[in-house]
Amino acid sequence: MTRILLADSQPVFVDGLCTHVTRTPDLDVVAVAGTQAELVELLRTAAVDVVVLGIGLNLVEGAAENAAVLVVSASTREEDVAAAMSAGAAGYVTRQAGPEDILTAIRVVARGGLFVTADMAPVVRNRIGAARVDSFFPQLTPREQDVLELLVRDAGTTAIARHLGITVKTVRNHVSNILVKLPARSRTEAAWLAREKLRVRPSAHTEPAVS
């Protein structure tokens, strides 16, 4: 069970996210902070795995000492994303992100990964020097490499289609081609092969997941 500290001053956002979390068996909001003062106190006393941080962005570094931090912000400025990640945030999503994307982000950062929305991924790549899977699977087309990268991040078919701006049928066709070219018996095995390649590369960094 992933224990979440939710820090946000917007009741609609808090209530909405809590409602969605209660429907999941693997996530639990154990504490809520509506002000910076409450956040500071809870960071000292609450045992949590992930801090969803919508307020007190100056506290990212302190929050990251004992938990994975997912920043939720209205800002899409590159300098804000870079500052949050440099301070220790493991993820960054905008307030326009859907509930399912935020839940996915929570799960990714909880297991030690990085998560950013698609338009922010280049910023994080430049900061962490992450490797693309095309370094290991040159037999794949650029679009197939994009699909494989998303499979590695446990993205579903519909999420991949939305992210890449293609149809679900096209995603399935790309997955079929990937299975033939690797080769792999299933999308799960394809993702596992890619993870293994990324894991054994010297000095490899974790590539950010995208919504």
Side-chain angles (χ1 to χ4, degrees):
M1 178 71 71
T2 297
R3 300 163 299 176
I4 302 165
L5 164 55
L6 175 54
D8 200 275
S9 60
Q10 298 186 16
V12 173
F13 176 80
V14 172
D15 292 344
L17 186 59
C18 286
T19 297
H20 281 85
V21 167
T22 58
R23 298 171 183 166
T24 67
D26 60 321
L27 304 176
D28 185 25
V29 175
V30 298
V32 176
T35 66
Q36 282 206 47
E38 291 175 349
L39 175 56
V40 169
E41 178 62 25
L42 287 170
L43 287 175
R44 287 199 301 259
T45 60
V48 298
D49 305 301
V50 176
V51 178
V52 178
L53 200 63
I55 58 174
L57 300 186
N58 56 307
L59 300 174
V60 169
E61 187 172 359
E65 292 180 358
N66 297 306
V69 176
L70 172 65
V71 169
V72 180
S73 174
S75 175
T76 58
R77 297 193 310 167
E78 289 189 4
E79 53 266 39
D80 292 334
V81 180
M85 303 302 277
S86 296
Y92 192 107
V93 297
T94 66
R95 290 192 176 275
Q96 288 71 43
E100 290 303 320
D101 288 332
I102 295 177
L103 296 184
T104 297
I106 291 172
R107 293 186 178 101
V108 170
V109 302
R111 64 174 182 256
L114 297 175
F115 188 102
V116 291
T117 49
D119 55 336
M120 299 171 186
V123 179
V124 181
R125 283 198 188 100
N126 292 337
R127 289 276 168 169
I128 65 177
R132 285 171 51 88
V133 296
D134 53 7
S135 302
F136 304 98
F137 302 106
Q139 70 269 39
L140 302 182
T141 67
R143 181 58 88 193
E144 289 164 356
Q145 291 159 5
D146 291 338
V147 172
L148 181 56
E149 285 187 325
L150 293 169
L151 290 178
V152 168
R153 294 164 185 75
D154 298 324
T157 300
T158 301
I160 294 173
R162 184 176 67 248
H163 171 65
L164 297 179
I166 58 181
T167 67
V168 168
K169 181 179 179 181
T170 300
V171 172
R172 289 173 178 154
N173 289 338
H174 285 314
V175 171
S176 295
N177 292 337
I178 290 169
L179 299 186
V180 171
K181 291 180 178 180
L182 287 189
R185 290 169 293 184
S186 67
R187 58 190 291 156
T188 300
E189 183 176 349
W192 180 84
L193 288 171
R195 289 191 190 101
E196 287 300 299
K197 288 284 189 179
L198 290 168
R199 184 176 297 123
V200 301
R201 179 175 181 174
S203 303
H205 295 274
T206 302
E207 174 76 3
V210 293
S211 64

